[in-house]
Amino acid sequence: MIDLTQYEVWFVTGSQHLYGPKTLEQVAVNSREIATALGASAHMPVKVVFKPVVTTPDAIRELCLEANSSKNCIGLITWMHTFSPAKMWIAGLSLLRKPFAHLHTQYNREIPWAEIDMNFMNLNQAAHGDREFGFIGSRMRLDRKVVVGHWQDEDVQADLGMWARAAAAWADWQGARLARFGDNMRDVAVTEGDKVQAQIQFGYDVYGYGVGDLVKVVREASDAEVDRMVEAYLDEYEVVPALQPGGEKHASLREGARIEVGMRKFLEAGSFKAFTTTFEDLHGLAQLPGLAVQRLMRDGYGFGAEGDWKTSALVRAMKVMSEGLKGGVSFMEDYTYHFSAGGDKVLGAHMLEVCESIASNRPKLDILPLSIGGKADPVRLIFDANLGPAIGASIMDMGQRFRMVANVVDVIPTDAPLPNLPVARALWLPRPNLKVAAAAWIYAGGAHHTSFSYSVTAGQLHDFAEMAGIEFLLIDENTRVDEFKDKLRWNDLYYHLSKGL
Ligand code: MN
């Protein structure tokens, strides 16, 4: 359900008329070559469209307006091959509503020491041309990504590719529809927030439904549809004997399948990209949806439990950012701790809803009591998560504004098997350590729910937060609590004042 190939970034080269047509022709040839190379890079998940070199304020303005109205264009990559006096960019950049990355590169990699003349200098002057362009971006207080280096270098292409993924996630949010089955878990604070402000700022729309609306669709699921779903389960998972056909709890598996058929239909009919549930509002549903949620997340839907629409939107955004990459993205919760000499560890899990995309092994499909919510035992997938570096991120509504906080962690093997733990799980060491990471997270007001990914990077989340115009706080190996607290205070001031900057 996520297709990055539909998206385009436009490669825009700035110049001016002073150089004469011959130089401008060469600029166009060089620029096209760079755009083609970026588009062909394995790191670039979207199309790179070469746009004619712009040399006048009118052409720049027209191009920005065209980008705004293009459905497939998710942003611009700008580059000043020669010198493009930046006042020419004011009108266009004032109107531009799409993100842009400023590629600071030059066509020639090296200086040809023996041959260099003024022709070479004219054709390779981004070193100052891009600074002129950079000034106007800063003068206009525009958030943008600056990527420096030769265009053929892999790290430059990787940085632009990661930025394009963030831009795709941003485009995906615009006009996105999120469904909430039931409201917020009663009394919980951090999952609440201003949905009107979120729509104004983030572009997605949150729709609330009574669980009865979903129950109706679940009940309409035909036996044949349930049969097909059960077959898929038997094919894909290690299904415990009790749930298999003829097993004493097979009816519960069929009920889980019926819920999945209904949820899929509901979400598809409404063109939703993310959804929430809450175990407190399950009237008419026999089980809390566990398996269904895990599988829907695997297929690209964002999800948040207990009515957590902000996390569901973030899970969706990170699914888009990581589409086609290894590692997976899941809804996650910091669940319980292991304090030990070997490093204080976090066991991440949820009541049920951890995405299959982060599974390191073939999941076991089991049925066990939930011990909360008072419904029938739910079916769920149980597995250990992938190992390696990962990141957990969360968006909170701080009242006046939204904040994103993220922590880089290292997922490690559990010290011993967990034969009685009935949910999917990930064990990690937070960076730099739990003492610092948890203190910083708590000072920041970070939620207990996160979107958890092995492929999305901190830099990418930072890019995304800037596209959204929100604060980004990173907790990683360089974090110190005292500095972090200062940053919180300075940022409060900055975001309060920045509306006037
Ligand atoms: Mn929760």
Side-chain angles (χ1 to χ4, degrees), residues 154-269:
E154 184 151 7
D155 63 334
V156 168
Q157 296 182 357
D159 280 354
L160 287 171
M162 292 302 261
W163 170 83
R165 287 176 172 278
W170 179 245
D172 181 74
W173 264 13
Q174 306 314 306
R177 293 159 55 85
L178 277 56
R180 294 178 91 211
F181 300 118
D183 197 359
N184 198 64
M185 180 178 167
R186 290 181 266 290
D187 279 335
V188 175
V190 76
T191 47
E192 290 277 12
D194 184 342
K195 295 193 274 297
V196 175
Q197 187 57 31
Q199 187 171 351
I200 292 168
Q201 197 159 355
F202 299 144
Y204 61 71
D205 196 352
V206 183
Y207 293 79
Y209 294 94
V211 175
D213 297 323
L214 173 61
V215 168
K216 183 169 178 291
V217 185
V218 168
R219 290 205 175 131
E220 284 166 5
S222 71
D223 285 344
E225 287 170 317
V226 172
D227 289 346
R228 277 199 295 278
M229 197 60 84
V230 168
E231 267 170 45
Y233 297 164
L234 293 168
D235 187 44
E236 292 175 42
Y237 310 119
E238 298 294 335
V239 181
V240 297
L243 289 178
Q244 290 187 10
E248 69 268 28
K249 294 187 175 169
H250 184 63
S252 296
L253 187 67
R254 292 188 66 81
E255 190 56 39
R258 191 173 297 280
I259 291 172
E260 180 175 344
V261 170
M263 286 186 108
R264 277 187 191 276
K265 278 192 184 166
F266 191 103
L267 295 170
E268 282 167 14

Side-chain angles (χ1 to χ4, degrees), residues 379-451:
V379 288
R380 81 284 299 277
L381 298 174
I382 303 173
F383 53 84
D384 292 314
N386 290 319
L387 304 180
I391 194 163
S394 166
I395 293 179
M396 296 78 64
D397 183 342
M398 303 307 290
Q400 307 301 318
R401 60 191 174 83
F402 294 99
R403 159 182 287 168
M404 185 191 289
V405 60
N407 185 199
V408 180
V409 307
D410 294 286
V411 183
I412 54 172
T414 55
D415 294 8
L418 306 164
N420 294 316
L421 187 69
V423 290
R425 75 299 294 246
L427 183 75
W428 65 78
L429 288 163
R431 295 187 195 176
N433 54 57
L434 180 67
K435 266 186 200 304
V436 172
W441 190 273
I442 286 169
Y443 282 125
H448 51 284
H449 287 164
T450 59
S451 174

Side-chain angles (χ1 to χ4, degrees), residues 185 191 279 304-306 308 331-333 335 349-351 353 448-449:
M185 180 178 167
T191 47
F279 65 91
E306 290 101 35
D308 188 349
F331 173 74
M332 185 59 74
E333 182 169 283
Y335 218 106
H350 204 259
M351 288 192 301
E353 310 93 336
H448 51 284
H449 287 164

Side-chain angles (χ1 to χ4, degrees), residues 459-480:
Q460 212 172 4
L461 290 175
H462 199 164
D463 291 345
F464 185 76
E466 291 202 337
M467 290 170 195
I470 65 171
E471 179 184 14
F472 177 72
L473 296 164
L474 179 64
I475 302 167
D476 66 1
E477 55 277 18
N478 300 316
T479 298
R480 280 180 39 180

